Amino acid sequence: MSTTRSDTNYERSSPSYQEKSAESKYETVDPEIDLLAFYEDRAGRLVVDPEEARIELGDAVASRLKLTKDGTKVLWPQPTDDPEDPQNWSDRRKALQLFIITLAAIVPDFDSGVGIAAIFALAEEYHTTTGVINNLTSNWSIFLLGWGGIFAVMLMRRFGRLPILFWSQVLALGFLVGCTFAPNLKTFAAMRCLTAFFATCPQVTGLYIVTDMFPFHLQARKLNIWTMGFIVSPFVSPFAFGFLVARANWRWSYGIACMYGAVVVALIALFGEETMYDRSIKPVPPRPSSGLRYRVETLLGMMGLKMAKYRPTVMSGLVSHINVLWRPHLLGILLFEAMLFGFSIGINVTMAVFLGTPPPVGFGWSQYAIAGSYGTPIVAVLIGELTGRYANDWIQSWSIRRNKGVFEAESRLWACYIAIPLYICGFVLLGAAVENHLSPGAVVMGWGIAEVAVMINTVAVYAYCNDCFPKNHGEISSLINLTRTLGGFSVAYFQVPWAERHGALQVFGCEAAIVVALFLFIVPTLQVKGSRLRERFSI
């Protein structure tokens, strides 16, 4: 996106201007201030309107600010004058990187979801039950998805985004091949867990890449696209491979998943670019090489090793995660998202059991019918993406107008008020449909409405946390990824046995009630006290 400096002349002698300037707490801002540091220190509160920037920051600072092409918004973070700064890349170049990371973000849960499509075939192959398959492979692979993200961010902080993304996907592909040819259940379980641990990297890299390339006012929209990738992914593989497993050996489903993983690796190798730009270092270190050599060295990690001396150590990444996690305005929203997203993970894992198990527990549907049902959440996530895109843009614009040109991070949470009523309706309807064996239409509507809510709410949480901690995009991404998987990996252990004893309506109703209680306790509190918490517990 091209940028221009503001050249608008404001009448400094006007009474209204002088009155506002006298009241501004930023009236003494140093004109030589580092605008990057200023943006990070004002975490969660951004002056977006150029005129308001002149009032709050003064002419000396405001005249240095770079604006959008139409001159209506201040760009945060401020791009440098370097054409290699990802903030200055062309729209097409940025879109290609977003496309690649979205396809890559599909990989982890897509690979995990293959086991859902093949659950009955795996139980038959290894002479065990579907419960054992879920507990030994699905649940533990989901658990490791979260911890793999922490490990990836620790490495990316020091060596860059691209090489860690590339090598993680190469390793994940190798272990997925191991799943395909596993001779016994122990080997299969080990390969599946290792696949999950390494494959999860794109699910934390996306927030880095979006914030590396796009200014603040576009980030929520782009996060919506990337988030859609990993939310829809666990449903795509059961939908696609459920039909295949019904007619062919289950190993073919893992083989095709390997082909998709290979395509992603090829796209990263051929078109992926390093979006990490060391703008906080003065001066910005020059590239040690250029052309094809730079391309190869960056991809393989040699460039990252050369630049590592300018960046934090790997172990400091662990400390930074802990330093961010204890902040009360983050901890509360993470707990809320963990339960909301976690229960939806449980549904994804156990719906195949509910639909395929004979009555009275389940519906006794065929493999074809189960596969077709997984088209429901796919459509729902797409609807959620469209709804969330326009809702977040409207909320952002409304918040800026309401605050006279200033954006407050807590306004992102208004989207949660759209999601929660949908979440309640979806879970209660789905529980009633499973318990009372209602029509397929009831299952479709309940499941679909719940997933629309998950999509809308998750984007709002990512955007809010991202705005509150502009210095810690990686830590935020990995902690959200960790909490959502910790919230969901164990659900499959108790969901089916609980439904067998007390009915699915009680199960899904209680899960919805827990989420609503957390919402009522956390979200309004953050909207009222969030700005004070940000100031008091800033990093």
Side-chain angles (χ1 to χ4, degrees), residues 245-270:
V245 172
R247 301 179 64 90
N249 190 286
W250 63 269
R251 296 183 190 274
W252 276 105
S253 61
Y254 276 93
I256 296 173
C258 290
M259 297 176 193
Y260 176 74
V263 170
V264 169
V265 169
L267 287 173
I268 294 171
L270 296 174

PDB file of all heavy atoms in Angstrom, residues 245-270:
ATOM      1  N   VAL A 245     -13.266 -43.088   2.446  1.00  0.00           N
ATOM      2  CA  VAL A 245     -13.072 -44.210   3.362  1.00  0.00           C
ATOM      3  C   VAL A 245     -14.206 -45.221   3.233  1.00  0.00           C
ATOM      4  O   VAL A 245     -14.018 -46.423   3.461  1.00  0.00           O
ATOM      5  CB  VAL A 245     -12.949 -43.695   4.812  1.00  0.00           C
ATOM      6  CG1 VAL A 245     -12.940 -44.845   5.803  1.00  0.00           C
ATOM      7  CG2 VAL A 245     -11.688 -42.856   4.961  1.00  0.00           C
ATOM      8  N   ALA A 246     -15.380 -44.744   2.838  1.00  0.00           N
ATOM      9  CA  ALA A 246     -16.512 -45.659   2.665  1.00  0.00           C
ATOM     10  C   ALA A 246     -16.300 -46.607   1.491  1.00  0.00           C
ATOM     11  O   ALA A 246     -16.933 -47.668   1.417  1.00  0.00           O
ATOM     12  CB  ALA A 246     -17.801 -44.861   2.467  1.00  0.00           C
ATOM     13  N   ARG A 247     -15.391 -46.268   0.572  1.00  0.00           N
ATOM     14  CA  ARG A 247     -15.207 -47.081  -0.624  1.00  0.00           C
ATOM     15  C   ARG A 247     -13.791 -47.627  -0.795  1.00  0.00           C
ATOM     16  O   ARG A 247     -13.565 -48.501  -1.620  1.00  0.00           O
ATOM     17  CB  ARG A 247     -15.546 -46.253  -1.877  1.00  0.00           C
ATOM     18  CG  ARG A 247     -16.970 -45.714  -1.897  1.00  0.00           C
ATOM     19  CD  ARG A 247     -17.223 -44.883  -3.136  1.00  0.00           C
ATOM     20  NE  ARG A 247     -17.128 -45.676  -4.334  1.00  0.00           N
ATOM     21  CZ  ARG A 247     -18.144 -46.320  -4.906  1.00  0.00           C
ATOM     22  NH1 ARG A 247     -19.352 -46.261  -4.351  1.00  0.00           N
ATOM     23  NH2 ARG A 247     -17.977 -47.022  -6.010  1.00  0.00           N
ATOM     24  N   ALA A 248     -12.840 -47.083  -0.046  1.00  0.00           N
ATOM     25  CA  ALA A 248     -11.444 -47.495  -0.228  1.00  0.00           C
ATOM     26  C   ALA A 248     -10.760 -47.599   1.131  1.00  0.00           C
ATOM     27  O   ALA A 248     -11.306 -47.206   2.158  1.00  0.00           O
ATOM     28  CB  ALA A 248     -10.707 -46.490  -1.127  1.00  0.00           C
ATOM     29  N   ASN A 249      -9.542 -48.106   1.118  1.00  0.00           N
ATOM     30  CA  ASN A 249      -8.784 -48.249   2.352  1.00  0.00           C
ATOM     31  C   ASN A 249      -8.503 -46.877   2.972  1.00  0.00           C
ATOM     32  O   ASN A 249      -8.235 -45.899   2.271  1.00  0.00           O
ATOM     33  CB  ASN A 249      -7.459 -48.960   2.039  1.00  0.00           C
ATOM     34  CG  ASN A 249      -6.718 -49.372   3.295  1.00  0.00           C
ATOM     35  OD1 ASN A 249      -6.145 -48.542   3.992  1.00  0.00           O
ATOM     36  ND2 ASN A 249      -6.724 -50.661   3.590  1.00  0.00           N
ATOM     37  N   TRP A 250      -8.531 -46.804   4.321  1.00  0.00           N
ATOM     38  CA  TRP A 250      -8.327 -45.531   5.019  1.00  0.00           C
ATOM     39  C   TRP A 250      -6.967 -44.918   4.726  1.00  0.00           C
ATOM     40  O   TRP A 250      -6.788 -43.695   4.841  1.00  0.00           O
ATOM     41  CB  TRP A 250      -8.496 -45.718   6.524  1.00  0.00           C
ATOM     42  CG  TRP A 250      -7.495 -46.641   7.170  1.00  0.00           C
ATOM     43  CD1 TRP A 250      -7.620 -47.979   7.369  1.00  0.00           C
ATOM     44  CD2 TRP A 250      -6.200 -46.268   7.666  1.00  0.00           C
ATOM     45  NE1 TRP A 250      -6.490 -48.484   7.974  1.00  0.00           N
ATOM     46  CE2 TRP A 250      -5.599 -47.459   8.178  1.00  0.00           C
ATOM     47  CE3 TRP A 250      -5.495 -45.073   7.763  1.00  0.00           C
ATOM     48  CZ2 TRP A 250      -4.329 -47.468   8.747  1.00  0.00           C
ATOM     49  CZ3 TRP A 250      -4.222 -45.074   8.330  1.00  0.00           C
ATOM     50  CH2 TRP A 250      -3.659 -46.269   8.816  1.00  0.00           C
ATOM     51  N   ARG A 251      -5.983 -45.725   4.339  1.00  0.00           N
ATOM     52  CA  ARG A 251      -4.643 -45.187   4.075  1.00  0.00           C
ATOM     53  C   ARG A 251      -4.638 -44.217   2.890  1.00  0.00           C
ATOM     54  O   ARG A 251      -3.776 -43.337   2.800  1.00  0.00           O
ATOM     55  CB  ARG A 251      -3.656 -46.327   3.845  1.00  0.00           C
ATOM     56  CG  ARG A 251      -3.472 -47.210   5.091  1.00  0.00           C
ATOM     57  CD  ARG A 251      -2.423 -48.289   4.861  1.00  0.00           C
ATOM     58  NE  ARG A 251      -2.419 -49.273   5.941  1.00  0.00           N
ATOM     59  CZ  ARG A 251      -1.727 -49.141   7.077  1.00  0.00           C
ATOM     60  NH1 ARG A 251      -0.983 -48.065   7.259  1.00  0.00           N
ATOM     61  NH2 ARG A 251      -1.770 -50.081   8.004  1.00  0.00           N
ATOM     62  N   TRP A 252      -5.598 -44.381   1.998  1.00  0.00           N
ATOM     63  CA  TRP A 252      -5.683 -43.455   0.870  1.00  0.00           C
ATOM     64  C   TRP A 252      -5.999 -42.035   1.343  1.00  0.00           C
ATOM     65  O   TRP A 252      -5.532 -41.054   0.755  1.00  0.00           O
ATOM     66  CB  TRP A 252      -6.749 -43.921  -0.128  1.00  0.00           C
ATOM     67  CG  TRP A 252      -6.242 -44.936  -1.100  1.00  0.00           C
ATOM     68  CD1 TRP A 252      -6.491 -46.272  -1.115  1.00  0.00           C
ATOM     69  CD2 TRP A 252      -5.375 -44.680  -2.204  1.00  0.00           C
ATOM     70  NE1 TRP A 252      -5.831 -46.882  -2.158  1.00  0.00           N
ATOM     71  CE2 TRP A 252      -5.143 -45.926  -2.849  1.00  0.00           C
ATOM     72  CE3 TRP A 252      -4.762 -43.539  -2.722  1.00  0.00           C
ATOM     73  CZ2 TRP A 252      -4.334 -46.032  -3.971  1.00  0.00           C
ATOM     74  CZ3 TRP A 252      -3.953 -43.652  -3.843  1.00  0.00           C
ATOM     75  CH2 TRP A 252      -3.738 -44.899  -4.465  1.00  0.00           C
ATOM     76  N   SER A 253      -6.795 -41.933   2.394  1.00  0.00           N
ATOM     77  CA  SER A 253      -7.126 -40.588   2.898  1.00  0.00           C
ATOM     78  C   SER A 253      -5.878 -39.887   3.428  1.00  0.00           C
ATOM     79  O   SER A 253      -5.668 -38.696   3.176  1.00  0.00           O
ATOM     80  CB  SER A 253      -8.198 -40.686   3.982  1.00  0.00           C
ATOM     81  OG  SER A 253      -7.742 -41.453   5.087  1.00  0.00           O
ATOM     82  N   TYR A 254      -5.035 -40.619   4.148  1.00  0.00           N
ATOM     83  CA  TYR A 254      -3.794 -40.016   4.632  1.00  0.00           C
ATOM     84  C   TYR A 254      -2.831 -39.751   3.477  1.00  0.00           C
ATOM     85  O   TYR A 254      -2.071 -38.772   3.497  1.00  0.00           O
ATOM     86  CB  TYR A 254      -3.142 -40.922   5.677  1.00  0.00           C
ATOM     87  CG  TYR A 254      -3.712 -40.701   7.057  1.00  0.00           C
ATOM     88  CD1 TYR A 254      -4.779 -41.482   7.520  1.00  0.00           C
ATOM     89  CD2 TYR A 254      -3.219 -39.711   7.885  1.00  0.00           C
ATOM     90  CE1 TYR A 254      -5.322 -41.278   8.776  1.00  0.00           C
ATOM     91  CE2 TYR A 254      -3.753 -39.498   9.145  1.00  0.00           C
ATOM     92  CZ  TYR A 254      -4.800 -40.279   9.587  1.00  0.00           C
ATOM     93  OH  TYR A 254      -5.338 -40.052  10.820  1.00  0.00           O
ATOM     94  N   GLY A 255      -2.862 -40.596   2.464  1.00  0.00           N
ATOM     95  CA  GLY A 255      -2.010 -40.368   1.298  1.00  0.00           C
ATOM     96  C   GLY A 255      -2.373 -39.087   0.570  1.00  0.00           C
ATOM     97  O   GLY A 255      -1.494 -38.309   0.161  1.00  0.00           O
ATOM     98  N   ILE A 256      -3.667 -38.824   0.424  1.00  0.00           N
ATOM     99  CA  ILE A 256      -4.096 -37.588  -0.240  1.00  0.00           C
ATOM    100  C   ILE A 256      -3.779 -36.371   0.623  1.00  0.00           C
ATOM    101  O   ILE A 256      -3.402 -35.307   0.116  1.00  0.00           O
ATOM    102  CB  ILE A 256      -5.604 -37.666  -0.566  1.00  0.00           C
ATOM    103  CG1 ILE A 256      -5.849 -38.790  -1.581  1.00  0.00           C
ATOM    104  CG2 ILE A 256      -6.116 -36.337  -1.119  1.00  0.00           C
ATOM    105  CD1 ILE A 256      -7.307 -39.073  -1.853  1.00  0.00           C
ATOM    106  N   ALA A 257      -3.907 -36.530   1.951  1.00  0.00           N
ATOM    107  CA  ALA A 257      -3.513 -35.441   2.845  1.00  0.00           C
ATOM    108  C   ALA A 257      -2.023 -35.127   2.697  1.00  0.00           C
ATOM    109  O   ALA A 257      -1.609 -33.967   2.774  1.00  0.00           O
ATOM    110  CB  ALA A 257      -3.837 -35.803   4.294  1.00  0.00           C
ATOM    111  N   CYS A 258      -1.214 -36.159   2.473  1.00  0.00           N
ATOM    112  CA  CYS A 258       0.215 -35.945   2.218  1.00  0.00           C
ATOM    113  C   CYS A 258       0.420 -35.127   0.944  1.00  0.00           C
ATOM    114  O   CYS A 258       1.303 -34.255   0.884  1.00  0.00           O
ATOM    115  CB  CYS A 258       0.947 -37.274   2.096  1.00  0.00           C
ATOM    116  SG  CYS A 258       1.098 -38.201   3.640  1.00  0.00           S
ATOM    117  N   MET A 259      -0.387 -35.402  -0.067  1.00  0.00           N
ATOM    118  CA  MET A 259      -0.282 -34.634  -1.318  1.00  0.00           C
ATOM    119  C   MET A 259      -0.592 -33.161  -1.082  1.00  0.00           C
ATOM    120  O   MET A 259       0.092 -32.271  -1.609  1.00  0.00           O
ATOM    121  CB  MET A 259      -1.221 -35.215  -2.368  1.00  0.00           C
ATOM    122  CG  MET A 259      -0.910 -36.638  -2.787  1.00  0.00           C
ATOM    123  SD  MET A 259      -2.141 -37.278  -3.954  1.00  0.00           S
ATOM    124  CE  MET A 259      -1.743 -39.032  -3.933  1.00  0.00           C
ATOM    125  N   TYR A 260      -1.624 -32.888  -0.278  1.00  0.00           N
ATOM    126  CA  TYR A 260      -1.950 -31.498   0.023  1.00  0.00           C
ATOM    127  C   TYR A 260      -0.810 -30.837   0.799  1.00  0.00           C
ATOM    128  O   TYR A 260      -0.416 -29.696   0.514  1.00  0.00           O
ATOM    129  CB  TYR A 260      -3.248 -31.415   0.832  1.00  0.00           C
ATOM    130  CG  TYR A 260      -3.589 -29.993   1.253  1.00  0.00           C
ATOM    131  CD1 TYR A 260      -4.064 -29.076   0.318  1.00  0.00           C
ATOM    132  CD2 TYR A 260      -3.385 -29.561   2.555  1.00  0.00           C
ATOM    133  CE1 TYR A 260      -4.348 -27.772   0.678  1.00  0.00           C
ATOM    134  CE2 TYR A 260      -3.670 -28.257   2.932  1.00  0.00           C
ATOM    135  CZ  TYR A 260      -4.160 -27.375   1.988  1.00  0.00           C
ATOM    136  OH  TYR A 260      -4.434 -26.072   2.350  1.00  0.00           O
ATOM    137  N   GLY A 261      -0.259 -31.563   1.771  1.00  0.00           N
ATOM    138  CA  GLY A 261       0.878 -31.025   2.518  1.00  0.00           C
ATOM    139  C   GLY A 261       2.061 -30.731   1.622  1.00  0.00           C
ATOM    140  O   GLY A 261       2.767 -29.730   1.816  1.00  0.00           O
ATOM    141  N   ALA A 262       2.294 -31.591   0.626  1.00  0.00           N
ATOM    142  CA  ALA A 262       3.401 -31.368  -0.305  1.00  0.00           C
ATOM    143  C   ALA A 262       3.170 -30.118  -1.150  1.00  0.00           C
ATOM    144  O   ALA A 262       4.117 -29.360  -1.449  1.00  0.00           O
ATOM    145  CB  ALA A 262       3.580 -32.591  -1.209  1.00  0.00           C
ATOM    146  N   VAL A 263       1.918 -29.879  -1.538  1.00  0.00           N
ATOM    147  CA  VAL A 263       1.593 -28.659  -2.301  1.00  0.00           C
ATOM    148  C   VAL A 263       1.887 -27.424  -1.462  1.00  0.00           C
ATOM    149  O   VAL A 263       2.454 -26.436  -1.954  1.00  0.00           O
ATOM    150  CB  VAL A 263       0.112 -28.691  -2.742  1.00  0.00           C
ATOM    151  CG1 VAL A 263      -0.312 -27.330  -3.305  1.00  0.00           C
ATOM    152  CG2 VAL A 263      -0.113 -29.772  -3.785  1.00  0.00           C
ATOM    153  N   VAL A 264       1.510 -27.446  -0.200  1.00  0.00           N
ATOM    154  CA  VAL A 264       1.770 -26.310   0.686  1.00  0.00           C
ATOM    155  C   VAL A 264       3.265 -26.080   0.845  1.00  0.00           C
ATOM    156  O   VAL A 264       3.741 -24.935   0.786  1.00  0.00           O
ATOM    157  CB  VAL A 264       1.092 -26.538   2.056  1.00  0.00           C
ATOM    158  CG1 VAL A 264       1.570 -25.500   3.070  1.00  0.00           C
ATOM    159  CG2 VAL A 264      -0.418 -26.494   1.924  1.00  0.00           C
ATOM    160  N   VAL A 265       4.020 -27.147   1.052  1.00  0.00           N
ATOM    161  CA  VAL A 265       5.475 -27.016   1.172  1.00  0.00           C
ATOM    162  C   VAL A 265       6.055 -26.394  -0.101  1.00  0.00           C
ATOM    163  O   VAL A 265       6.934 -25.519  -0.046  1.00  0.00           O
ATOM    164  CB  VAL A 265       6.125 -28.386   1.448  1.00  0.00           C
ATOM    165  CG1 VAL A 265       7.637 -28.311   1.301  1.00  0.00           C
ATOM    166  CG2 VAL A 265       5.766 -28.869   2.846  1.00  0.00           C
ATOM    167  N   ALA A 266       5.568 -26.823  -1.259  1.00  0.00           N
ATOM    168  CA  ALA A 266       6.054 -26.286  -2.534  1.00  0.00           C
ATOM    169  C   ALA A 266       5.723 -24.801  -2.666  1.00  0.00           C
ATOM    170  O   ALA A 266       6.563 -24.004  -3.126  1.00  0.00           O
ATOM    171  CB  ALA A 266       5.445 -27.071  -3.699  1.00  0.00           C
ATOM    172  N   LEU A 267       4.522 -24.404  -2.259  1.00  0.00           N
ATOM    173  CA  LEU A 267       4.140 -22.989  -2.335  1.00  0.00           C
ATOM    174  C   LEU A 267       5.016 -22.135  -1.420  1.00  0.00           C
ATOM    175  O   LEU A 267       5.438 -21.038  -1.799  1.00  0.00           O
ATOM    176  CB  LEU A 267       2.665 -22.819  -1.949  1.00  0.00           C
ATOM    177  CG  LEU A 267       1.633 -23.295  -2.972  1.00  0.00           C
ATOM    178  CD1 LEU A 267       0.224 -23.234  -2.377  1.00  0.00           C
ATOM    179  CD2 LEU A 267       1.706 -22.441  -4.242  1.00  0.00           C
ATOM    180  N   ILE A 268       5.289 -22.645  -0.224  1.00  0.00           N
ATOM    181  CA  ILE A 268       6.158 -21.907   0.703  1.00  0.00           C
ATOM    182  C   ILE A 268       7.559 -21.773   0.107  1.00  0.00           C
ATOM    183  O   ILE A 268       8.171 -20.699   0.152  1.00  0.00           O
ATOM    184  CB  ILE A 268       6.209 -22.615   2.066  1.00  0.00           C
ATOM    185  CG1 ILE A 268       4.840 -22.579   2.746  1.00  0.00           C
ATOM    186  CG2 ILE A 268       7.259 -21.970   2.966  1.00  0.00           C
ATOM    187  CD1 ILE A 268       4.753 -23.441   3.985  1.00  0.00           C
ATOM    188  N   ALA A 269       8.069 -22.863  -0.456  1.00  0.00           N
ATOM    189  CA  ALA A 269       9.425 -22.856  -1.007  1.00  0.00           C
ATOM    190  C   ALA A 269       9.548 -21.942  -2.224  1.00  0.00           C
ATOM    191  O   ALA A 269      10.554 -21.240  -2.384  1.00  0.00           O
ATOM    192  CB  ALA A 269       9.839 -24.278  -1.380  1.00  0.00           C
ATOM    193  N   LEU A 270       8.536 -21.927  -3.073  1.00  0.00           N
ATOM    194  CA  LEU A 270       8.613 -21.178  -4.332  1.00  0.00           C
ATOM    195  C   LEU A 270       8.201 -19.722  -4.194  1.00  0.00           C
ATOM    196  O   LEU A 270       8.779 -18.842  -4.843  1.00  0.00           O
ATOM    197  CB  LEU A 270       7.753 -21.858  -5.402  1.00  0.00           C
ATOM    198  CG  LEU A 270       8.182 -23.262  -5.827  1.00  0.00           C
ATOM    199  CD1 LEU A 270       7.168 -23.865  -6.782  1.00  0.00           C
ATOM    200  CD2 LEU A 270       9.574 -23.226  -6.466  1.00  0.00           C
TER     201      LEU A 270
END
